[in-house]
Amino acid sequence: ALAVSRALADLLYAQLVLNAVQLFLEGHEKVKELSILQSVEAAARTALVVVFAPYLDIWVVLLFHIIAKCAATATGLVSAVPIMVSLIRTRIASERNILRSIFKSYGKWDIARGFIDELAAPFKVWLIKYFVSVEGVAVFDFAQKVFSYAAGAIPLKSALFPTISRAIERKEV
């Protein structure tokens, strides 16, 4: 039970750090870097499964997820660190309680949805295994990876929508 808790805590921590890196890249509309980040995570996970296929069990797969997230984070940090350094060096007067007001009005549902999606992801696989079979889990996982790779190649939510919103606000469109 302690090992399970530790592994899940490591996975959660890796996901939180990856989300922070993605936030910096999305905020600065680094579309290419975001696509690379998502591709690195999927490729690392796939490569680990292919190389270590004879040794697969639940612990190894969980470890692969953690390693893939760390690889994507390291890749994203190459682009995110200069952004972070420039933000630290820039002096801007802060508004009081701005984050609280943004969270109350806009962010709470999206944050909750993302958190619930991440928590529910492993249970989807277990439910498929329970109701279908192990082969069903493999087909589902493969289809999910192909979809995430295709969706990562065109990051609409993180790049195109903010660009359109900014153009609309400037009255250029």
Side-chain angles (χ1 to χ4, degrees):
L2 184 60
V4 173
S5 299
R6 173 66 187 189
L8 291 176
D10 289 345
L11 182 61
L12 181 62
Y13 181 73
Q15 183 64 48
L16 288 173
V17 174
L18 179 60
N19 287 351
V21 169
Q22 286 177 326
L23 180 67
F24 277 101
L25 295 176
E26 287 173 7
H28 287 79
E29 297 175 355
K30 301 287 188 181
V31 180
K32 179 181 169 187
E33 288 82 354
L34 284 167
S35 295
I36 290 170
L37 191 83
Q38 293 170 351
S39 299
V40 165
E41 183 180 359
R45 197 170 32 242
T46 303
L48 287 167
V49 167
V50 169
V51 170
F52 296 102
Y55 309 104
L56 288 181
D57 66 8
I58 191 68
W59 297 109
V60 174
V61 171
L62 189 58
L63 179 65
F64 290 171
H65 276 282
I66 294 168
I67 292 170
K69 289 192 183 302
C70 290
T73 301
T75 303
L77 282 173
V78 171
S79 299
V81 167
I83 295 169
M84 293 176 196
V85 168
S86 69
L87 288 174
I88 290 170
R89 291 182 178 163
T90 305
R91 300 283 184 204
I92 298 175
S94 64
E95 296 180 35
R96 294 184 61 84
N97 299 325
I98 188 80
L99 288 178
R100 185 180 300 145
S101 66
I102 291 171
F103 180 73
K104 279 184 171 180
S105 57
Y106 302 106
K108 61 186 168 205
W109 300 115
D110 195 40
I111 290 171
R113 183 189 54 79
F115 185 70
I116 290 170
D117 285 347
E118 283 298 319
L119 286 178
F123 294 110
K124 291 177 189 175
V125 175
W126 288 334
L127 286 173
I128 291 170
K129 180 182 178 226
Y130 180 75
F131 287 111
V132 182
S133 67
V134 174
E135 292 82 13
V137 171
V139 169
F140 172 78
D141 189 52
F142 177 74
Q144 195 173 31
K145 299 298 181 260
V146 169
F147 175 77
S148 68
Y149 182 75
I154 307 168
L156 293 175
K157 182 179 177 186
S158 62
L160 189 59
F161 293 155
T163 305
I164 291 171
S165 297
R166 188 175 50 252
I168 289 171
E169 186 160 318
R170 287 190 209 152
K171 309 280 191 240
E172 293 175 2
V173 175

